[in-house]
């Protein structure tokens, strides 16, 4: 068994689907542990992979930890770890905490985001030296490449990465909702307003791949036009400061989660 999933929520399912769809893993090489045997069967069946018990994890080459961070301290002592490498997607749980609780230094820390559902995630990776030497980091890099782009970054940047990138779909969804609501206020039918907001965010994302944000802004904002007046209103409401505070607050919460371990 090349990879076992401990937990299989939305993110875990996205990663498993990407790995299977792109041929990185075959169903017979994968297992899933659920909260109960029945839950494990229900999670495994749609993918044609094995349902496992905690004890079965000893058969795996690597285990992907996809449980809630609050559940990890209780589960960790029950997880077999001899000869097993670990990849964690638990927010706020450092490699030092993983190594201590699992009693192994073969640990990789990863932070994907919701866009893994559509194969467009940005995933941060970091690993202890022993995990790099055992090939665990290479495996994780290839695994997460099946659901998007991968960035190897120093661990001290993980909380800011989580606050900015992993949390970004929620921030931008709020922007889209607010933009649509504003359109409705001006008389736009809601369904059309929501579609236009979604299209605008998607198109802007594509434009930003080849341009600096200021260039996109300047190309749209013509002298004395509608856009520059709208930008003035946003600046008056301190939109930039609101994003600064959001990323700072989320980063601080990431630190707090790590300290709790």
């Amino acid at each position: 068994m090349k990879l076992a999933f401990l937990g299989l929520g939305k993110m875990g399912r996205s990663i498993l689907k990407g790995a299977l769809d792109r041929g990185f893993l075959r169903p017979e090489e994968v297992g899933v542990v659920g909260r109960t045997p029945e839950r494990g069967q229900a999670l495994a069946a749609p993918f044609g992979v094995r349902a496992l018990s905690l004890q079965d994890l000893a058969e795996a080459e690597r285990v992907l930890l996809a449980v809630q961070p609050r559940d990890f301290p209780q589960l960790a002592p029950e997880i077999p770890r001899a000869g097993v490498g670990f990849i964690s997607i638990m927010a706020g749980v450092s490699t030092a905490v993983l190594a201590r609780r699992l009693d192994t230094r073969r640990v990789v820390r990863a932070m994907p985001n919701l866009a893994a559902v559509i194969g467009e995630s940005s995933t941060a990776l970091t690993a202890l030296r022993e995990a790099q030497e055992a090939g665990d980091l290479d495996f994780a890099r290839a695994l997460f490449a099946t659901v998007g782009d991968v960035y190897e970054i120093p661990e001290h940047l993980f909380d800011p990465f989580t606050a900015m990138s992993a949390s970004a779909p929620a921030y931008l969804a709020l922007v889209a909702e607010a933009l649509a609501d504003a359109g409705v206020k001006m008389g736009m039918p809601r369904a059309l307003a929501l579609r236009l907001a979604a299209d605008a965010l998607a198109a802007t994302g594509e434009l930003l791949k080849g341009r600096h944000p200021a260039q996109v802004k300047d190309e749209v904002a013509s002298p004395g036009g509608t856009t520059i007046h709208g930008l003035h209103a946003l600046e008056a409401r301190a939109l930039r400061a609101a994003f600064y505070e959001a990323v700072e607050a989320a980063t601080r919460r990431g630190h707090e989660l790590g300290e709790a371990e």
Side-chain angles (χ1 to χ4, degrees):
M1 191 179 356
K2 288 190 175 180
L3 185 64
F5 286 73
L6 180 53
L8 199 69
K10 181 176 291 186
M11 186 62 68
R13 289 195 299 273
S14 299
I15 295 165
L16 176 53
K17 184 177 186 301
L20 295 175
D21 286 352
R22 288 160 180 76
F24 178 67
L25 294 170
R26 300 190 304 273
E28 60 268 25
E29 297 174 325
V30 181
V32 174
V33 179
R35 286 183 176 273
T36 65
E38 294 76 18
R39 180 59 177 161
Q41 290 286 353
L43 292 170
F47 298 100
V49 302
R50 294 172 54 190
L52 308 173
S53 67
L54 274 173
Q55 291 70 33
D56 292 332
L57 294 179
E59 302 174 25
E61 294 178 19
R62 296 176 179 89
V63 173
L64 192 143
L65 301 169
V67 298
Q68 291 295 325
R70 63 176 179 271
D71 297 330
F72 179 57
Q74 182 179 352
L75 282 170
E78 302 179 42
I79 301 173
R81 67 281 314 267
V84 177
F86 292 91
I87 302 167
S88 168
I89 61 171
M90 296 182 294
V93 183
S94 69
T95 54
V97 169
L98 290 166
R100 174 168 56 82
R101 291 202 177 274
L102 295 168
D103 194 26
T104 177
R105 292 185 59 81
R106 280 187 60 188
V107 295
V108 178
R109 183 180 176 188
M111 181 47 61
N113 67 22
L114 181 63
V117 173
I118 57 171
E120 295 289 343
S121 177
S122 294
T123 301
L125 287 181
T126 195
L128 297 180
R129 178 175 53 81
E130 290 81 355
Q132 298 179 41
E133 293 172 350
D136 301 323
L137 179 59
D138 290 338
F139 180 91
R141 188 186 301 114
L143 173 66
F144 288 101
T146 68
V147 292
D149 296 326
V150 178
Y151 301 89
E152 292 177 39
I153 64 174
E155 189 161 17
H156 73 271
L157 293 179
F158 255 67
D159 288 334
F161 182 96
T162 302
M164 179 190 164
S165 179
S167 299
Y171 305 153
L172 297 179
L174 185 62
V175 169
E177 184 181 40
L179 185 59
D181 282 346
V184 171
K185 182 183 179 183
M186 294 295 101
M188 187 78 66
R190 181 165 294 279
L192 178 59
L194 287 167
R195 177 63 185 269
L196 291 174
D199 287 349
L201 262 67
T204 303
E206 289 300 314
L207 288 169
L208 289 172
K209 290 180 180 179
R211 296 173 173 84
H212 189 280
Q215 182 183 351
V216 174
K217 174 178 65 66
D218 290 350
E219 287 178 358
V220 179
S222 56
T226 59
T227 302
I228 195 65
H229 281 74
L231 288 169
H232 182 194
L234 290 172
E235 294 287 7
R237 293 291 184 178
L239 178 69
R240 293 173 189 261
F243 274 102
Y244 294 160
E245 292 181 12
V247 173
E248 181 181 352
T251 300
R252 189 164 56 246
R253 179 56 179 160
H255 288 323
E256 291 169 357
L257 288 172
E259 290 170 358
E261 289 290 335

